[in-house]
Amino acid sequence: MAWLFNDPDQFADEMVVGFAAAASRWVRHVPGGVVRSTRGSEPTVSLVIGGGSGHYPAFAGLVGPGLAHGAAMGNLFASPSTQQVHSVARAADQGRGVLLSYGNYAGDVLNFDAAQERLRAEGIECRTVLATDDVSSAGPDEREKRRGIAGDLVVFKIAGAACQAGYDLAEVERVASFSNDRMRSLGVAFGGCTLPGADEPLFTVPEGRMAVGLGIHGEPGIEEVEVPTAAGLAERFVSTLLGEVPDGVDVRGARVVPILNGLGSVKYEELFVVYATVHRLLEEAGIEVVDPEVGEFCTSFDMAGCSLTLLWLDEELERLWTAPCDTAAFRRGGVSGQQQVAAEEIEAAVAAATEIGEASDVSRRAATRVAEALDAVAAVLDEHADELGRLDRVAGDGDHGIGMQRGSRAARDAAHEALEAGAGAGTTVQRAGDAWGDRAGGTSGAIWAAMLDAFARSIGDEDAVEAAAVAEGVRQAEEAVERVGGAAVGDKTMVDAIVPFVRTLTERVGAGDPLPQAWDAAVQAADQGAESTKELTAKLGRARSHGEKSRGTADPGAVSFALVVGTVGGRLWGA
Amino acid sequence: MAWLFNDPDQFADEMVVGFAAAASRWVRHVPGGVVRSTRGSEPTVSLVIGGGSGHYPAFAGLVGPGLAHGAAMGNLFASPSTQQVHSVARAADQGRGVLLSYGNYAGDVLNFDAAQERLRAEGIECRTVLATDDVSSAGPDEREKRRGIAGDLVVFKIAGAACQAGYDLAEVERVASFSNDRMRSLGVAFGGCTLPGADEPLFTVPEGRMAVGLGIHGEPGIEEVEVPTAAGLAERFVSTLLGEVPDGVDVRGARVVPILNGLGSVKYEELFVVYATVHRLLEEAGIEVVDPEVGEFCTSFDMAGCSLTLLWLDEELERLWTAPCDTAAFRRGGVSGQQQVAAEEIEAAVAAATEIGEASDVSRRAATRVAEALDAVAAVLDEHADELGRLDRVAGDGDHGIGMQRGSRAARDAAHEALEAGAGAGTTVQRAGDAWGDRAGGTSGAIWAAMLDAFARSIGDEDAVEAAAVAEGVRQAEEAVERVGGAAVGDKTMVDAIVPFVRTLTERVGAGDPLPQAWDAAVQAADQGAESTKELTAKLGRARSHGEKSRGTADPGAVSFALVVGTVGGRLWGA
């Protein structure tokens, strides 16, 4: 729906004023629409486009160097009047003739034709090329009756680039018309749009249904089906459009521009998910995808829907499609002196950053024990996931159990993978931490990743993992937690367990205790910290179940920390 | 809501695949996100941005020459993990250091900080600049606590341009941080977004209400009010942001970039209507508006809302803000050799196209009678508007009466204006026709405009408007109607009246009858054509009121044509 307007009757006029103010780098407001505010060094044929408003960036957003010279802007979803088209064309004309181009709708044809007649009577050479790309609006033997939808952009871009390249009017007409012959679109809709000031949508689609071929003003489609998956829609788009390949084109080896257009409420992220399958299917059909476009090129206010257009290139169309242009809403080119980097080069850089480094035998043996310890940790956290979730629900969003479960599983798998690749103890712990943070998500995921990373760096891939090294490693881990998490002892977070753990371990190792004993003592200290969290949590839970307002928070990070170090203890240093 | 997805759990991953395929001109997919697929001639500082997905074009759409070098792409609305940020930064690094930049959210800070620590530990120089532009998320004395919203784009663009310009890391950090100091945003929301696979919106705003300062993930705002007008919202935006001008900036004479950002469902047309007032208010405050942006730069899936950002420029910021860049979603520059055309020049061209030409005295006298005749026509159509509307409702949408009323009023006013400017008869009729078509809209408006234009050309501004000229003029008008409207006699349109009218007038004038008598006879012939339309309409009306299915259509164009020529007859040629 529309939220922002003043007097709905003035909406279209105010929109033009706002657009012209925002886009003064490209356009200037003239009666009936806008024309370019810039000029090149030589006069060219002028391209004048237009139609009803409500389809931005069509049409005014496409005026500028390399694209259109002017746009006649009708009221919302209403053709511009003859006078509007005439006025814009007169202002855009540079003495080399005018190409009128727009989507095939009766009202537009009426008014653009009348304007063309008047321009010719005034001695201005004038031709017309319509966009007729919507395959669902008429059969392949009546292509001239089809409506124009997002394929408008193709005809405009090709014609605008031809003007810019110095073509004469007949040649601009020829290539624009050829581009229309070489393109097909299919659109679908999930819901209509509501114009400013209207109480209800202009048209609707039943919930959960998809109207195939529904026009951008609600013109009837060809069928209504259940909303498919993104991949299902991509398959329908591609199979329909590959079912009507332009004459003389061989699909295998063809160079094709796909344009996936959103109508307003279907957003970019969804379009990219659909495009992933479109791209794959086109490649599987032996097509070379060129310069695709995914976004909003011809909207219908906030209508929910999208369309796929395929443009089957030849050498000339490819040159014109990829030529630079600069408009408020569609631009190509811009920064010179750039070159493409080979895919292999980027892959090599990524591989280098994640390469398993050299490691000593002693560190590799320690890595084996790390992986075994992580097997045990993942198993214990699996067991305790529900309990940790329950604890978290008192003070948080209840996802701590599942986060620790996911994180520790991923860490276990990553550790084994690193081990097989010959990693030392440090790298194995680091890979485990990376995977933990990546899969667990949330604050605790990030803290575990930081903690394991700090520990890993401290123990490295060379030295034996002996008592002093472990004590130094956990000290570094504690620092990382405090730095990253920003909490202090008593905040009822993981810090309440790690601080006594590290203090005890450092003291006992310093006093000459063997690591296994020192570690066990440290685990007991961590357990005490965790207990106080559990007590507070229980108290909070009781208070809340009696309807009291919550005071304080307690996250179960200390509890899960104690669990993990308790599990590790017996394995990593016990053997 | 979201319509298009496969497995919701895979949505973010599939989106990255689709985006990387669609945007391979600019980016390549690496673990954790994307990096540029292009390289300039010299290594530069690398800008790595990122955040949760669902905000496209933030963040991946902003990777490319002149802007970011890489984007870490988290799950929907979730921070990228430490590993993701680290992986992207490693792939983007060119050996001159990395600037991390992103919006200020706890999860992002946690993970980006941890990644920064790791990068530094690996010997990669690394700095961070946060975007903290949302004035409603903390007071002016706690700006470092504010969230980052659409102002992200400013910090990224300034930092990216600084990298491109060869600044070293400390200098990139300095100017990026300065750009954040120089910018403020205010956002509003009308409704939340629904993520793929979710049953209900992530958050909601009551219908008819506007949440001021609501965050792009639903973070609490500062108040809830009724949805204002577009102008009312613009006033709130501007007055709030002018209430917190950066230190050391003088409002009058300041150069400011406004960025009006839509969050997803508030569409371009609405944004332009809001922008019209924003622009005016900024100018009234003595501000020089530079290079504004109106569109979608940081969305929140299909959330309904928008924000205004003001960037207060100095010379360096202006240079960097306007520098070329080329990314999937944000580009500047592109076509060289263009120069701005002065506003006066375009106005002069428009004025020349609409200039009142020379006219003879005899034609000017005829023009006086034309204007008088149009007074009468407008009065008669006023009287008959309801009747014409009723006739139209049987076969059409009922707007014929109001269309003819609006058109004839506008024609009358335009004729008097032309007359006062010294126009001859031809130009006076043409201006009247232009105005008629422009205000009446629809098919009949276009046909009346074409008819009057053809008549006007035929009679011209020189010769006396005598019998033969009038007969030739109406013949030309008839041809225009047939050409533009495409109907034939018997189609029950205006053609059923104009054809007998023109035939009779031509015959009688040819036979030597004086014009007034010939015209009256022609009017009778037109009336007969109109009667048959009325009869058919009555028949259709009766049939439909008995529930029969409609057969045939009848538009009241013949009736109104007969009315107009009947009214004109006695005046234009009678005196």
Side-chain angles (χ1 to χ4, degrees), chain A residues 81 117 331 341 438 483, chain B residues 28 81 117 331 438 483:
Chain A
S81 70
E117 198 168 300
R331 299 170 212 166
V341 180
D438 214 38
R483 219 163 33 226
Chain B
R28 205 143 285 155
S81 70
E117 198 168 301
R331 299 169 211 169
D438 214 39
R483 220 165 31 229

Side-chain angles (χ1 to χ4, degrees), chain A residues 199-379:
Chain A
D199 291 330
E200 41 186 62
L202 210 55
F203 51 93
T204 56
V205 179
E207 202 177 318
R209 307 288 286 173
M210 175 174 88
V212 179
L214 188 76
I216 56 174
H217 315 92
E219 297 91 343
I222 49 176
E223 70 169 321
E224 205 186 275
V225 298
E226 248 184 82
V227 175
T229 61
L233 177 59
E235 279 157 22
R236 170 133 199 178
F237 274 156
V238 172
S239 66
T240 302
L241 296 182
L242 292 190
E244 197 191 310
V245 175
D247 290 345
V249 171
D250 190 357
V251 172
R252 295 206 76 80
R255 295 175 67 78
V256 169
V257 176
I259 302 172
L260 187 61
N261 176 63
L263 288 173
S265 282
V266 170
K267 298 311 299 180
Y268 308 106
E269 287 80 3
E270 294 172 270
L271 294 175
F272 289 128
V273 170
V274 174
Y275 185 73
T277 305
V278 168
H279 193 91
R280 181 174 57 75
L281 293 173
L282 293 176
E283 289 194 333
E284 284 173 8
I287 285 168
E288 184 82 22
V289 174
V290 178
D291 236 12
E293 292 288 349
V294 178
E296 297 183 344
F297 308 103
C298 179
T299 60
S300 206
F301 224 86
D302 63 329
M303 181 170 168
C306 61
S307 63
L308 179 68
T309 300
L310 296 185
L311 167 63
W312 301 80
L313 297 169
D314 69 357
E315 182 278 325
E316 182 183 32
L317 291 179
E318 183 161 346
R319 182 163 31 82
L320 296 171
W321 175 255
T322 55
C325 66
D326 186 18
T327 72
F330 194 79
R331 299 170 212 166
R332 286 178 173 278
V335 178
S336 55
Q338 302 292 314
Q339 57 179 60
Q340 285 284 318
V341 180
E344 299 69 34
E345 223 175 307
I346 292 174
E347 279 157 22
V350 169
T354 55
E355 221 170 28
I356 300 284
E358 294 286 308
S360 68
D361 287 347
V362 63
S363 185
R364 283 200 183 123
R365 281 194 298 277
T368 311
R369 297 208 301 277
V370 165
E372 285 167 7
L374 283 168
D375 290 341
V377 166

Side-chain angles (χ1 to χ4, degrees), chain B residues 437-456:
Chain B
D438 214 39
R439 287 294 300 155
T443 308
S444 84
I447 287 178
W448 275 94
M451 203 157 58
L452 293 175
D453 184 56
F455 183 80

